[in-house]
Amino acid sequence: MNQKSAVPKDASAIILLNHAGDKVLWAQRNPQLAFLGGYHAFPGGKLEISDQLIKIKNCTDAEQLARFIACAVREAFEEVGVLLVRGGEKLTKGQRASLHDDLISNRMTFAEILEHWNLWINAADFFYTGFWTTPKFSTVRFKTRFFLAICPPKQEPYAAISEMQNVEFIRPDDALNEWKNSKVLIAPPVLLSLKTLAENLTADKRGFTQIKYDSKNKDQRLRTVTKNLLENSQAADGQIRYMELNPRVVCFPLKTETLPPATHTNCFIVGRKKFIVIDAASTDDAEQNALHTLVDSFIEKGFACRAVITTHLHRDHFGGEMILQKHLQGKFGLEIPIVAHRLTAESLANKVEFQKFIEEGEVFDLKDENGAGFQLQTLHTPGHARGLLAFYDAEFGFLFSGDNVVSSGSIVIAPPEGNMKDYLNSLERMKNLPNLRFLCGSHGAAVSDAKGKIESYIAHRLEREGQVLEAFKNGAKTPREIVQRVYTDISSALYELAEKSVAAHLEKLYEEEIIHEVTRRNHEEFKKS
Ligand SMILES: [Zn+2]
């Protein structure tokens, strides 16, 4: 089931500084959005064909950059209502709002609006700071060009469309503190940019200098920050290998043979001076080497690896842990235990050598000597697999949900390893964790609204259960018949897996005595299948 990764779509984003030049504009993407919903990001979006028609003056690299600047300017206007054009100062706030309405209701294209109102884009107002590409693990990918620009005087950005909320200018340091304090998730390139901005925008002890809208080549700080942003992007060739969800949480997606549309399994490195590795799953050499390089850098800083954990028995969750263990032993002389739930260890007895079993309630104390950091509580959450483990830190609100809940791909509940009743109990339990904020599943991006995500999983399963029961009552006798009636929204390639989930629903309904002995024969057959 080797999936091809999605081809990145061209996109632009704008790093908009306030007029004083000490704050940057960010906003929270609507949590409902499929791509990085709930994350904080800069305004930006996909290149449109009509962006080529937008006229730009003074573009030294017209072929390459003009349409991307045009896209960034259009997106900034669409999303936060800021019009980064020349001639715009003569427009009132009301007129800008009316133009915005023309644009988003498709009455006029952005090119037509500019032409009609005699407005124009001056390429010299934009500072190219490089591009970043969404990593391959994502099913939606962008190659996004970033431009630094200054907000024109007398324009106040606002949430101009429902995709963006909490639009604000913020000091980069303050933005990073919100991230450190587990208040927000930040889109990876935005986080990288904020770190560079924090070093450059707040370091000036003289306070801010007034930056003019057309100050290209005039303000040294602008030139420095642009140069540094661009160098960072170029040094990484625009590639992002892993994501920091918090200073103490690294998500390192590893290529595995998993269920489509997912192509990767998330390996999490949690903690700092003391850390654990969850699901070093890839059997691929290049993937392992990449992970080893990062883990090595932690060890070289003097951090201590406490354990390598396997969340459960499925093949996309183990395979690299013994190689990592051997690597750390060979290179640093370390003896790192591989741990899992006893049920997982029993199932993988011939494949992985475990040094320790962990159970419900086991705590991984990863706090630093000053008492700061994660204290991970082990949750035994059967349902998807009998020995499935999840981990939770109540202070930061991070739930590592394993395969219980993911943001990419579907969860199969296949009896006898899978049990629907247990699964729903596990979901219910995770949903009610105190101070729950962020959900880090084994596949796809972290989720900013953990509780909402788990609730939607529960609702979806119960809806399916109702449909399965209905189909069963109406005479669908085999799992395949039920799947054909109920799972009309999936491709036939997934029927076999869906049939297992149907068997799991029937098993639950039978145990709850909602369906009765007349169906027992069917139930036994389902169980065997
Ligand atoms: Zn699994």
Side-chain angles (χ1 to χ4, degrees):
M1 258 188 255
N2 254 334
Q3 293 279 299
K4 279 220 180 96
S5 47
V7 176
K9 294 181 179 124
D10 285 320
S12 293
I14 197 110
I15 304 174
L16 189 68
L17 303 185
N18 65 341
H19 199 59
D22 63 339
K23 290 181 180 173
V24 63
L25 189 84
W26 76 349
Q28 188 183 22
R29 294 171 55 77
N30 189 313
Q32 306 303 324
L33 292 172
F35 185 75
L36 297 183
Y39 280 62
H40 274 68
F42 298 140
K46 192 162 58 91
L47 189 75
E48 288 180 1
I49 294 168
S50 62
D51 290 336
Q52 291 173 17
L53 303 172
I54 298 170
K55 291 200 181 78
I56 296 191
K57 291 184 193 168
N58 303 326
C59 196
T60 48
D61 187 3
E63 286 270 305
Q64 291 302 321
L65 286 184
R67 62 205 172 110
F68 292 112
I69 294 176
C71 172
V73 174
R74 176 183 52 72
E75 287 286 342
F77 188 49
E78 264 178 32
E79 294 192 339
V80 296
V82 171
L83 200 47
L84 299 169
V85 300
R86 294 308 183 96
E89 58 282 352
K90 64 182 183 254
L91 297 173
T92 64
K93 196 174 163 187
Q95 282 171 318
R96 282 199 304 272
S98 149
L99 299 193
H100 185 268
D101 196 48
D102 287 339
L103 179 64
I104 57 162
S105 59
N106 291 323
R107 273 192 296 276
M108 292 173 93
T109 66
F110 196 54
E112 286 165 351
I113 288 172
L114 297 193
E115 189 139 336
H116 187 263
W117 290 85
N118 215 7
L119 308 168
W120 58 284
I121 297 174
N122 184 1
D125 294 334
F126 300 88
F127 301 75
Y128 177 61
T129 65
F131 69 86
W132 292 101
T133 307
T134 316
K136 285 189 181 135
F137 73 85
S138 181
T139 46
V140 183
R141 300 178 67 206
F142 298 99
K143 181 178 176 180
T144 307
R145 281 76 172 175
F146 287 78
F147 298 92
L148 189 84
I150 311 297
C151 189
K154 294 178 193 162
Q155 288 203 48
E156 284 284 337
Y158 61 99
I161 51 169
S162 60
E163 276 83 354
M164 295 301 242
Q165 47 198 34
N166 302 320
V167 175
E168 63 172 341
F169 277 116
I170 187 165
R171 289 179 56 246
D173 267 340
D174 292 339
L176 291 174
N177 277 333
E178 293 213 6
W179 170 72
K180 285 174 191 162
N181 294 329
S182 194
K183 300 270 187 281
V184 296
L185 293 179
I186 302 180
V190 174
L191 178 63
L192 294 169
S193 304
L194 285 169
K195 286 181 178 177
T196 307
L197 291 171
E199 286 163 15
N200 290 275
L201 290 188
T202 56
D204 190 346
K205 291 206 173 63
R206 296 165 301 167
F208 58 79
T209 46
Q210 286 289 332
I211 296 172
K212 286 187 185 148
Y213 184 46
D214 58 350
S215 65
K216 188 164 187 181
N217 302 324
K218 287 181 189 165
D219 188 284
Q220 181 57 39
R221 279 199 306 161
L222 266 188
R223 271 185 291 169
T224 307
V225 73
T226 300
K227 181 172 149 280
N228 292 347
L229 286 164
L230 185 58
E231 278 174 3
N232 289 348
S233 151
Q234 286 171 339
D237 195 25
Q239 305 298 317
I240 292 165
R241 188 61 187 85
Y242 57 86
M243 289 140 297
E244 286 183 282
L245 304 174
N246 176 276
R248 290 181 169 87
V249 180
V250 169
C251 174
F252 201 108
L254 296 169
K255 199 166 179 6
T256 55
E257 295 222 340
T258 185
L259 288 180
T263 54
H264 289 64
T265 300
N266 291 330
C267 172
F268 291 102
I269 303 169
V270 187
R272 204 163 178 84
K273 292 188 177 169
K274 298 174 205 162
F275 69 93
I276 55 163
V277 179
I278 302 173
D279 283 348
S282 187
T283 52
D284 181 278
D285 286 345
E287 295 291 287
Q288 281 170 358
N289 288 340
L291 177 65
H292 295 177
T293 302
L294 181 68
V295 174
D296 288 358
S297 75
F298 275 42
I299 305 280
E300 280 154 7
K301 282 181 197 152
F303 303 172
C305 182
R306 286 300 164 92
V308 179
I309 299 170
T310 305
T311 57
H312 65 296
L313 78 168
H314 290 146
R315 63 169 181 178
D316 53 333
H317 292 264
F318 71 90
E321 62 290 286
M322 283 171 76
I323 297 159
L324 174 62
Q325 183 187 51
K326 214 170 140 195
H327 166 80
L328 293 176
Q329 191 186 39
K331 187 161 181 181
F332 301 102
L334 298 170
E335 299 289 342
I336 313 294
I338 301 174
V339 307
H341 192 274
R342 182 183 292 274
L343 293 167
T344 301
E346 282 169 8
S347 302
L348 295 178
N350 300 323
K351 294 174 178 137
V352 183
E353 241 175 81
F354 292 94
Q355 278 73 50
K356 195 181 162 226
F357 304 138
I358 46 172
E359 249 301 340
E360 167 69 33
E362 173 113 13
V363 172
F364 289 91
D365 186 353
L366 307 173
K367 286 181 183 290
D368 303 343
E369 60 282 353
N370 58 9
F374 276 62
Q375 193 162 36
L376 278 189
Q377 186 193 339
T378 306
L379 311 173
H380 179 214
T381 53
H384 170 67
R386 289 174 308 136
L388 177 57
L389 297 176
F391 300 90
Y392 183 58
D393 179 279
E395 185 187 341
F396 293 87
F398 271 85
L399 171 64
F400 300 90
S401 59
D403 264 358
N404 281 299
V405 182
V406 298
S407 63
S408 172
S410 46
I411 297 302
V412 179
I413 308 297
E417 183 66 35
N419 181 295
M420 192 60 78
K421 200 171 172 184
D422 288 350
Y423 180 55
L424 280 162
N425 285 339
S426 291
L427 291 180
E428 197 64 40
R429 195 182 154 209
M430 290 188 293
K431 185 192 86 177
N432 293 321
L433 288 167
N435 194 37
L436 178 61
R437 300 182 69 91
F438 304 122
L439 183 142
C440 305
S442 287
H443 309 283
V447 174
S448 67
D449 174 15
K451 192 170 180 178
K453 182 76 181 174
I454 301 171
E455 276 169 352
S456 75
Y457 259 56
I458 295 171
H460 172 72
R461 288 293 174 179
L462 293 178
E463 191 192 346
R464 282 287 196 228
E465 182 174 293
Q467 292 166 338
V468 167
L469 181 60
E470 192 68 20
F472 196 82
K473 281 179 177 167
N474 289 332
K477 285 300 164 205
T478 67
R480 170 131 311 191
E481 281 170 10
I482 294 176
V483 165
Q484 282 166 349
R485 287 195 199 184
V486 173
Y487 287 69
T488 49
D489 53 347
I490 62 167
S491 84
S492 54
L494 293 173
Y495 274 7
E496 209 180 306
L497 296 173
E499 282 170 35
K500 291 178 177 168
S501 285
V502 165
H505 278 299
L506 290 171
E507 186 177 81
K508 175 172 177 285
L509 290 165
Y510 180 77
E511 275 166 19
E512 289 171 346
E513 299 184 4
I514 294 168
I515 55 179
H516 302 291
E517 53 267 55
V518 282
T519 64
R520 183 173 183 101
R521 193 175 54 82
N522 293 316
H523 170 65
E524 292 302 331
E525 276 168 15
F526 293 143
K527 262 186 119 167
K528 264 183 257 148
S529 68

PDB file of all heavy atoms in Angstrom, residues 294-316:
ATOM      1  N   LEU A 294      18.394  13.309  15.017  1.00  0.00           N
ATOM      2  CA  LEU A 294      17.757  14.216  15.978  1.00  0.00           C
ATOM      3  C   LEU A 294      17.939  13.707  17.417  1.00  0.00           C
ATOM      4  O   LEU A 294      18.296  14.479  18.315  1.00  0.00           O
ATOM      5  CB  LEU A 294      16.265  14.370  15.669  1.00  0.00           C
ATOM      6  CG  LEU A 294      15.541  15.326  16.617  1.00  0.00           C
ATOM      7  CD1 LEU A 294      16.024  16.760  16.393  1.00  0.00           C
ATOM      8  CD2 LEU A 294      14.038  15.267  16.444  1.00  0.00           C
ATOM      9  N   VAL A 295      17.727  12.399  17.612  1.00  0.00           N
ATOM     10  CA  VAL A 295      17.876  11.844  18.965  1.00  0.00           C
ATOM     11  C   VAL A 295      19.325  12.015  19.436  1.00  0.00           C
ATOM     12  O   VAL A 295      19.577  12.404  20.579  1.00  0.00           O
ATOM     13  CB  VAL A 295      17.447  10.357  19.001  1.00  0.00           C
ATOM     14  CG1 VAL A 295      17.745   9.731  20.356  1.00  0.00           C
ATOM     15  CG2 VAL A 295      15.951  10.236  18.694  1.00  0.00           C
ATOM     16  N   ASP A 296      20.269  11.800  18.520  1.00  0.00           N
ATOM     17  CA  ASP A 296      21.695  12.000  18.865  1.00  0.00           C
ATOM     18  C   ASP A 296      21.938  13.423  19.354  1.00  0.00           C
ATOM     19  O   ASP A 296      22.674  13.643  20.323  1.00  0.00           O
ATOM     20  CB  ASP A 296      22.587  11.750  17.642  1.00  0.00           C
ATOM     21  CG  ASP A 296      22.667  10.260  17.296  1.00  0.00           C
ATOM     22  OD1 ASP A 296      22.069   9.453  18.029  1.00  0.00           O
ATOM     23  OD2 ASP A 296      23.321   9.924  16.289  1.00  0.00           O
ATOM     24  N   SER A 297      21.326  14.394  18.658  1.00  0.00           N
ATOM     25  CA  SER A 297      21.558  15.793  19.029  1.00  0.00           C
ATOM     26  C   SER A 297      21.029  16.064  20.439  1.00  0.00           C
ATOM     27  O   SER A 297      21.595  16.869  21.177  1.00  0.00           O
ATOM     28  CB  SER A 297      20.920  16.738  18.007  1.00  0.00           C
ATOM     29  OG  SER A 297      19.517  16.771  18.168  1.00  0.00           O
ATOM     30  N   PHE A 298      19.964  15.375  20.830  1.00  0.00           N
ATOM     31  CA  PHE A 298      19.448  15.504  22.203  1.00  0.00           C
ATOM     32  C   PHE A 298      20.467  14.936  23.207  1.00  0.00           C
ATOM     33  O   PHE A 298      20.774  15.537  24.221  1.00  0.00           O
ATOM     34  CB  PHE A 298      18.117  14.748  22.352  1.00  0.00           C
ATOM     35  CG  PHE A 298      16.912  15.540  21.925  1.00  0.00           C
ATOM     36  CD1 PHE A 298      16.937  16.315  20.771  1.00  0.00           C
ATOM     37  CD2 PHE A 298      15.740  15.507  22.677  1.00  0.00           C
ATOM     38  CE1 PHE A 298      15.822  17.051  20.378  1.00  0.00           C
ATOM     39  CE2 PHE A 298      14.624  16.251  22.289  1.00  0.00           C
ATOM     40  CZ  PHE A 298      14.657  17.007  21.137  1.00  0.00           C
ATOM     41  N   ILE A 299      20.966  13.738  22.883  1.00  0.00           N
ATOM     42  CA  ILE A 299      21.913  13.071  23.782  1.00  0.00           C
ATOM     43  C   ILE A 299      23.183  13.919  23.921  1.00  0.00           C
ATOM     44  O   ILE A 299      23.732  14.089  25.002  1.00  0.00           O
ATOM     45  CB  ILE A 299      22.289  11.668  23.232  1.00  0.00           C
ATOM     46  CG1 ILE A 299      21.046  10.831  22.982  1.00  0.00           C
ATOM     47  CG2 ILE A 299      23.299  10.962  24.142  1.00  0.00           C
ATOM     48  CD1 ILE A 299      20.420  10.163  24.148  1.00  0.00           C
ATOM     49  N   GLU A 300      23.627  14.471  22.771  1.00  0.00           N
ATOM     50  CA  GLU A 300      24.854  15.279  22.777  1.00  0.00           C
ATOM     51  C   GLU A 300      24.706  16.548  23.607  1.00  0.00           C
ATOM     52  O   GLU A 300      25.675  17.105  24.094  1.00  0.00           O
ATOM     53  CB  GLU A 300      25.281  15.588  21.333  1.00  0.00           C
ATOM     54  CG  GLU A 300      26.007  14.399  20.704  1.00  0.00           C
ATOM     55  CD  GLU A 300      25.905  14.351  19.184  1.00  0.00           C
ATOM     56  OE1 GLU A 300      25.376  15.317  18.583  1.00  0.00           O
ATOM     57  OE2 GLU A 300      26.338  13.337  18.601  1.00  0.00           O
ATOM     58  N   LYS A 301      23.463  17.006  23.772  1.00  0.00           N
ATOM     59  CA  LYS A 301      23.227  18.166  24.642  1.00  0.00           C
ATOM     60  C   LYS A 301      23.172  17.746  26.112  1.00  0.00           C
ATOM     61  O   LYS A 301      22.939  18.582  26.983  1.00  0.00           O
ATOM     62  CB  LYS A 301      21.905  18.827  24.272  1.00  0.00           C
ATOM     63  CG  LYS A 301      21.980  19.700  23.035  1.00  0.00           C
ATOM     64  CD  LYS A 301      20.615  20.338  22.751  1.00  0.00           C
ATOM     65  CE  LYS A 301      20.557  20.849  21.337  1.00  0.00           C
ATOM     66  NZ  LYS A 301      19.188  20.857  20.797  1.00  0.00           N
ATOM     67  N   GLY A 302      23.307  16.462  26.355  1.00  0.00           N
ATOM     68  CA  GLY A 302      23.264  15.992  27.735  1.00  0.00           C
ATOM     69  C   GLY A 302      21.883  15.547  28.185  1.00  0.00           C
ATOM     70  O   GLY A 302      21.656  15.296  29.365  1.00  0.00           O
ATOM     71  N   PHE A 303      20.936  15.454  27.266  1.00  0.00           N
ATOM     72  CA  PHE A 303      19.596  15.000  27.626  1.00  0.00           C
ATOM     73  C   PHE A 303      19.597  13.462  27.752  1.00  0.00           C
ATOM     74  O   PHE A 303      20.380  12.793  27.089  1.00  0.00           O
ATOM     75  CB  PHE A 303      18.566  15.416  26.569  1.00  0.00           C
ATOM     76  CG  PHE A 303      18.496  16.904  26.300  1.00  0.00           C
ATOM     77  CD1 PHE A 303      17.736  17.404  25.247  1.00  0.00           C
ATOM     78  CD2 PHE A 303      19.181  17.817  27.099  1.00  0.00           C
ATOM     79  CE1 PHE A 303      17.669  18.779  24.994  1.00  0.00           C
ATOM     80  CE2 PHE A 303      19.115  19.188  26.857  1.00  0.00           C
ATOM     81  CZ  PHE A 303      18.357  19.666  25.795  1.00  0.00           C
ATOM     82  N   ALA A 304      18.696  12.964  28.592  1.00  0.00           N
ATOM     83  CA  ALA A 304      18.680  11.520  28.858  1.00  0.00           C
ATOM     84  C   ALA A 304      17.423  10.869  28.292  1.00  0.00           C
ATOM     85  O   ALA A 304      16.303  11.288  28.601  1.00  0.00           O
ATOM     86  CB  ALA A 304      18.745  11.285  30.362  1.00  0.00           C
ATOM     87  N   CYS A 305      17.630   9.841  27.481  1.00  0.00           N
ATOM     88  CA  CYS A 305      16.489   9.091  26.938  1.00  0.00           C
ATOM     89  C   CYS A 305      16.063   8.045  27.969  1.00  0.00           C
ATOM     90  O   CYS A 305      16.855   7.209  28.378  1.00  0.00           O
ATOM     91  CB  CYS A 305      16.873   8.428  25.626  1.00  0.00           C
ATOM     92  SG  CYS A 305      15.506   7.545  24.862  1.00  0.00           S
ATOM     93  N   ARG A 306      14.797   8.111  28.401  1.00  0.00           N
ATOM     94  CA  ARG A 306      14.317   7.228  29.456  1.00  0.00           C
ATOM     95  C   ARG A 306      13.726   5.916  28.938  1.00  0.00           C
ATOM     96  O   ARG A 306      13.781   4.898  29.607  1.00  0.00           O
ATOM     97  CB  ARG A 306      13.261   7.959  30.313  1.00  0.00           C
ATOM     98  CG  ARG A 306      13.861   9.001  31.233  1.00  0.00           C
ATOM     99  CD  ARG A 306      14.831   8.306  32.176  1.00  0.00           C
ATOM    100  NE  ARG A 306      15.740   9.190  32.850  1.00  0.00           N
ATOM    101  CZ  ARG A 306      15.517   9.743  34.041  1.00  0.00           C
ATOM    102  NH1 ARG A 306      14.379   9.541  34.660  1.00  0.00           N
ATOM    103  NH2 ARG A 306      16.432  10.499  34.596  1.00  0.00           N
ATOM    104  N   ALA A 307      13.117   5.970  27.757  1.00  0.00           N
ATOM    105  CA  ALA A 307      12.492   4.755  27.230  1.00  0.00           C
ATOM    106  C   ALA A 307      12.112   4.952  25.770  1.00  0.00           C
ATOM    107  O   ALA A 307      11.936   6.084  25.316  1.00  0.00           O
ATOM    108  CB  ALA A 307      11.237   4.411  28.043  1.00  0.00           C
ATOM    109  N   VAL A 308      12.029   3.842  25.066  1.00  0.00           N
ATOM    110  CA  VAL A 308      11.439   3.845  23.728  1.00  0.00           C
ATOM    111  C   VAL A 308      10.154   3.031  23.850  1.00  0.00           C
ATOM    112  O   VAL A 308      10.189   1.877  24.287  1.00  0.00           O
ATOM    113  CB  VAL A 308      12.395   3.227  22.686  1.00  0.00           C
ATOM    114  CG1 VAL A 308      11.747   3.215  21.310  1.00  0.00           C
ATOM    115  CG2 VAL A 308      13.711   4.006  22.648  1.00  0.00           C
ATOM    116  N   ILE A 309       9.054   3.665  23.505  1.00  0.00           N
ATOM    117  CA  ILE A 309       7.747   3.047  23.758  1.00  0.00           C
ATOM    118  C   ILE A 309       7.093   2.606  22.456  1.00  0.00           C
ATOM    119  O   ILE A 309       7.139   3.322  21.451  1.00  0.00           O
ATOM    120  CB  ILE A 309       6.823   4.066  24.472  1.00  0.00           C
ATOM    121  CG1 ILE A 309       7.430   4.464  25.824  1.00  0.00           C
ATOM    122  CG2 ILE A 309       5.416   3.490  24.657  1.00  0.00           C
ATOM    123  CD1 ILE A 309       6.726   5.627  26.490  1.00  0.00           C
ATOM    124  N   THR A 310       6.496   1.430  22.473  1.00  0.00           N
ATOM    125  CA  THR A 310       5.683   0.973  21.343  1.00  0.00           C
ATOM    126  C   THR A 310       4.223   1.026  21.793  1.00  0.00           C
ATOM    127  O   THR A 310       3.848   0.357  22.751  1.00  0.00           O
ATOM    128  CB  THR A 310       6.070  -0.475  20.952  1.00  0.00           C
ATOM    129  OG1 THR A 310       7.481  -0.508  20.690  1.00  0.00           O
ATOM    130  CG2 THR A 310       5.316  -0.945  19.729  1.00  0.00           C
ATOM    131  N   THR A 311       3.415   1.830  21.104  1.00  0.00           N
ATOM    132  CA  THR A 311       2.034   2.035  21.587  1.00  0.00           C
ATOM    133  C   THR A 311       1.165   0.792  21.434  1.00  0.00           C
ATOM    134  O   THR A 311       0.334   0.513  22.282  1.00  0.00           O
ATOM    135  CB  THR A 311       1.329   3.189  20.842  1.00  0.00           C
ATOM    136  OG1 THR A 311       1.341   2.907  19.429  1.00  0.00           O
ATOM    137  CG2 THR A 311       1.967   4.523  21.137  1.00  0.00           C
ATOM    138  N   HIS A 312       1.348   0.044  20.321  1.00  0.00           N
ATOM    139  CA  HIS A 312       0.556  -1.176  20.148  1.00  0.00           C
ATOM    140  C   HIS A 312       1.139  -2.054  19.048  1.00  0.00           C
ATOM    141  O   HIS A 312       2.159  -1.718  18.452  1.00  0.00           O
ATOM    142  CB  HIS A 312      -0.921  -0.853  19.923  1.00  0.00           C
ATOM    143  CG  HIS A 312      -1.224  -0.116  18.647  1.00  0.00           C
ATOM    144  ND1 HIS A 312      -0.761   1.135  18.395  1.00  0.00           N
ATOM    145  CD2 HIS A 312      -1.965  -0.474  17.568  1.00  0.00           C
ATOM    146  CE1 HIS A 312      -1.206   1.543  17.213  1.00  0.00           C
ATOM    147  NE2 HIS A 312      -1.933   0.579  16.685  1.00  0.00           N
ATOM    148  N   LEU A 313       0.462  -3.155  18.790  1.00  0.00           N
ATOM    149  CA  LEU A 313       1.076  -4.241  18.007  1.00  0.00           C
ATOM    150  C   LEU A 313       1.076  -4.037  16.496  1.00  0.00           C
ATOM    151  O   LEU A 313       1.717  -4.807  15.786  1.00  0.00           O
ATOM    152  CB  LEU A 313       0.358  -5.565  18.333  1.00  0.00           C
ATOM    153  CG  LEU A 313      -1.016  -5.813  17.669  1.00  0.00           C
ATOM    154  CD1 LEU A 313      -1.424  -7.254  17.866  1.00  0.00           C
ATOM    155  CD2 LEU A 313      -2.085  -4.871  18.146  1.00  0.00           C
ATOM    156  N   HIS A 314       0.349  -3.036  15.970  1.00  0.00           N
ATOM    157  CA  HIS A 314       0.213  -2.964  14.511  1.00  0.00           C
ATOM    158  C   HIS A 314       1.538  -2.634  13.827  1.00  0.00           C
ATOM    159  O   HIS A 314       2.371  -1.921  14.360  1.00  0.00           O
ATOM    160  CB  HIS A 314      -0.873  -1.951  14.132  1.00  0.00           C
ATOM    161  CG  HIS A 314      -2.242  -2.447  14.488  1.00  0.00           C
ATOM    162  ND1 HIS A 314      -3.253  -1.625  14.903  1.00  0.00           N
ATOM    163  CD2 HIS A 314      -2.740  -3.705  14.514  1.00  0.00           C
ATOM    164  CE1 HIS A 314      -4.333  -2.359  15.152  1.00  0.00           C
ATOM    165  NE2 HIS A 314      -4.039  -3.617  14.922  1.00  0.00           N
ATOM    166  N   ARG A 315       1.655  -3.142  12.614  1.00  0.00           N
ATOM    167  CA  ARG A 315       2.963  -3.137  11.950  1.00  0.00           C
ATOM    168  C   ARG A 315       3.467  -1.726  11.633  1.00  0.00           C
ATOM    169  O   ARG A 315       4.645  -1.539  11.380  1.00  0.00           O
ATOM    170  CB  ARG A 315       2.911  -3.972  10.676  1.00  0.00           C
ATOM    171  CG  ARG A 315       1.947  -3.388   9.670  1.00  0.00           C
ATOM    172  CD  ARG A 315       2.058  -4.017   8.311  1.00  0.00           C
ATOM    173  NE  ARG A 315       1.093  -3.326   7.442  1.00  0.00           N
ATOM    174  CZ  ARG A 315       0.935  -3.574   6.177  1.00  0.00           C
ATOM    175  NH1 ARG A 315       1.670  -4.489   5.603  1.00  0.00           N
ATOM    176  NH2 ARG A 315       0.057  -2.910   5.466  1.00  0.00           N
ATOM    177  N   ASP A 316       2.557  -0.737  11.584  1.00  0.00           N
ATOM    178  CA  ASP A 316       3.017   0.627  11.316  1.00  0.00           C
ATOM    179  C   ASP A 316       3.408   1.355  12.606  1.00  0.00           C
ATOM    180  O   ASP A 316       3.588   2.562  12.618  1.00  0.00           O
ATOM    181  CB  ASP A 316       1.958   1.425  10.531  1.00  0.00           C
ATOM    182  CG  ASP A 316       0.593   1.410  11.194  1.00  0.00           C
ATOM    183  OD1 ASP A 316       0.291   0.446  11.926  1.00  0.00           O
ATOM    184  OD2 ASP A 316      -0.173   2.366  10.995  1.00  0.00           O
TER     185      ASP A 316
END
